[in-house]
Amino acid sequence: MSYVMKPHLRVIRPHEEESQSEFYRDMLTALQAPVRTISPKYFYDAEGSALFDAICELPEYYPTRTEFGILRTSAGEIAERIGPNAEIVEFGAGSLRKVRVLLDALDRPRRFLPIDISGEHLQAAATRLQQDYAGLKVEPVVADYTQALQLPEPLPGTGLRVGFFPGSTIGNFNPDEALRFLRMAARVLRGGALLLGADLVKDPSLLHAAYSDAQGVTAAFNLNLLARANRELGTDFALEAFSHAAFYNAPMRRIEMHLMSLKRQEVRMCKNTFTFEEGETLHTENSHKFTIEGLRALAAQAGFEPGPVWTDPNRKFSLHWLTAPN
Ligand code: AVI
């Protein structure tokens, strides 16, 4: 029988305790505003994370499958660039499935630092990974990587420090947030590199299918935000009176997801009552799509030196090597 130690969980800031009040504040601000918008980070409670995992398996949702394909095809070339004894830092480490493709190709990776705001989810995924990679030091870090981030010093004898930010999560930031994130990444990875996954601009019909799937999983994912608010904030959103709406905003090069009120209705939160007119929405997510040149320019603006880019044969998705100078 083998015994695998649970990886030590490093908590940079105790965000989990704060997050409910932050959710409360942000929902109240959204409901009070003339145009209602809330951060997509609130999708990811336990139910939302499970629904997102289901989205990744949908036939219409091409990004996950396509990025896996690019990773598998390019892993050898990427591993050569990374070299031996590397330290991999994953930003927003969900189920930690993609990084396995990278780790499998690497020469004796030294340490893996997955960073996520949700400690429980992270600990479970890190424990599973540690069980499968006994020679790797897995050190999960509970932190909000959209804020200023401090990472532990590299272990003695470490090769390159390489950040991994797959899934086109960068597309869920607005342009200012994306630049801020990339600047932070260039700082914590200086002397190393960032491997960044970015979804590409394409035929809007493919995008519409990916974000309004036939089985309604994305709709359930979107509506779970209201269910979560009812569970955690004491709101009384009538879920059946809202519908999922997703469309491609071509000038902004982004899919927008909204929750649209199907009738004039009132929603209570604490002692306040808010009116939704028929057709009025709560804007829940932007998913920006990039051109390869646009993404390279953004990375250069943040201080990276853009390197090779790997794509799939249909150029749906891109994986960028971005060097972080010293
Ligand atoms: C996590 N993120 C990159 C996904 C996306 O495609 O923007 C979230 C998502 N929203 C709807 N489907 C998937």
Side-chain angles (χ1 to χ4, degrees), residues 40 43-44 52 55-56 58 61-63 166-172 199 210-213 218 221-222 244 255 257 285-289 317:
F43 281 141
Y44 300 95
F52 179 64
I55 287 175
C56 293
L58 290 169
Y61 194 73
Y62 62 84
S168 202
T169 301
I170 190 154
N172 295 135
D199 198 10
Y211 290 85
S212 289
D213 64 278
T218 311
F221 172 71
N222 200 4
H244 164 71
I255 281 280
M257 290 211 320
E285 187 182 61
N286 290 320
S287 190
H288 291 88
K289 307 303 163 192
F317 201 91

Side-chain angles (χ1 to χ4, degrees), residues 35-308:
V35 176
R36 291 166 168 159
T37 293
I38 191 156
S39 166
K41 70 181 176 187
Y42 298 116
F43 281 141
Y44 300 95
D45 65 344
E47 278 83 353
S49 299
L51 284 163
F52 179 64
D53 287 346
I55 287 175
C56 293
E57 303 291 325
L58 290 169
E60 299 97 327
Y61 194 73
Y62 62 84
T64 310
R65 215 172 311 112
T66 311
E67 191 179 34
F68 260 118
I70 300 170
L71 269 170
R72 284 194 198 98
T73 314
S74 324
E77 209 183 313
I78 295 169
E80 244 173 69
R81 284 194 162 263
I82 294 179
N85 304 314
E87 176 173 272
I88 306 298
V89 178
E90 181 165 352
F91 299 101
S95 56
L96 301 182
R97 280 174 57 227
K98 286 177 191 157
V99 78
R100 289 169 180 254
V101 182
L102 195 60
L103 292 171
D104 288 344
L106 289 179
D107 180 8
R108 289 160 293 147
R110 188 115 170 70
R111 185 165 66 166
F112 176 52
L113 300 171
I115 308 171
D116 206 289
I117 198 164
S118 160
E120 218 172 289
H121 208 66
L122 182 64
Q123 178 75 283
T127 302
R128 283 195 300 274
L129 192 91
Q130 183 68 87
Q131 282 165 351
D132 296 340
Y133 294 84
L136 180 73
K137 217 167 172 338
V138 179
E139 282 185 33
V141 178
V142 181
D144 183 351
Y145 63 85
T146 64
Q147 306 296 319
L149 186 68
Q150 294 301 332
L151 289 182
E153 284 300 307
L155 298 170
T158 295
L160 222 55
R161 176 178 268 186
V162 176
F164 185 46
F165 195 38
S168 202
T169 301
I170 190 154
N172 295 135
F173 296 151
N174 67 39
D176 285 349
E177 290 167 340
L179 191 60
R180 202 176 331 131
F181 166 78
L182 288 170
R183 286 200 170 119
M184 178 281 294
R187 180 178 57 79
V188 299
L189 301 170
R190 63 183 169 266
L194 175 66
L195 192 59
L196 175 69
D199 198 10
L200 296 175
V201 168
K202 58 182 60 63
D203 181 345
S205 67
L206 293 176
L207 293 170
H208 287 143
Y211 290 85
S212 289
D213 64 278
Q215 293 171 58
V217 184
T218 311
F221 172 71
N222 200 4
L223 282 159
N224 178 59
L225 187 91
L226 302 184
R228 180 181 182 189
N230 288 351
R231 281 192 295 270
E232 294 181 18
L233 310 179
T235 50
D236 66 348
F237 284 106
L239 266 60
E240 67 290 349
F242 285 87
S243 79
H244 164 71
F247 61 89
Y248 186 57
N249 179 334
M252 303 296 281
R253 289 193 174 139
R254 69 188 192 202
I255 281 280
E256 291 187 14
M257 290 211 320
H258 294 252
L259 288 160
M260 191 173 72
S261 180
L262 295 171
K263 59 178 189 191
R264 183 173 209 273
Q265 59 179 314
E266 290 187 337
V267 174
R268 269 189 300 270
M269 180 171 180
C270 198
K271 294 185 188 93
N272 307 293
T273 302
F274 301 98
T275 303
F276 276 84
E277 298 296 338
E278 184 179 345
E280 207 178 327
T281 74
L282 174 62
H283 185 172
T284 49
E285 187 182 61
N286 290 320
S287 190
H288 291 88
K289 307 303 163 192
F290 300 89
T291 61
I292 287 177
E293 281 321 310
L295 194 104
R296 286 165 66 84
L298 187 69
Q301 199 184 338
F304 283 102
E305 284 166 10

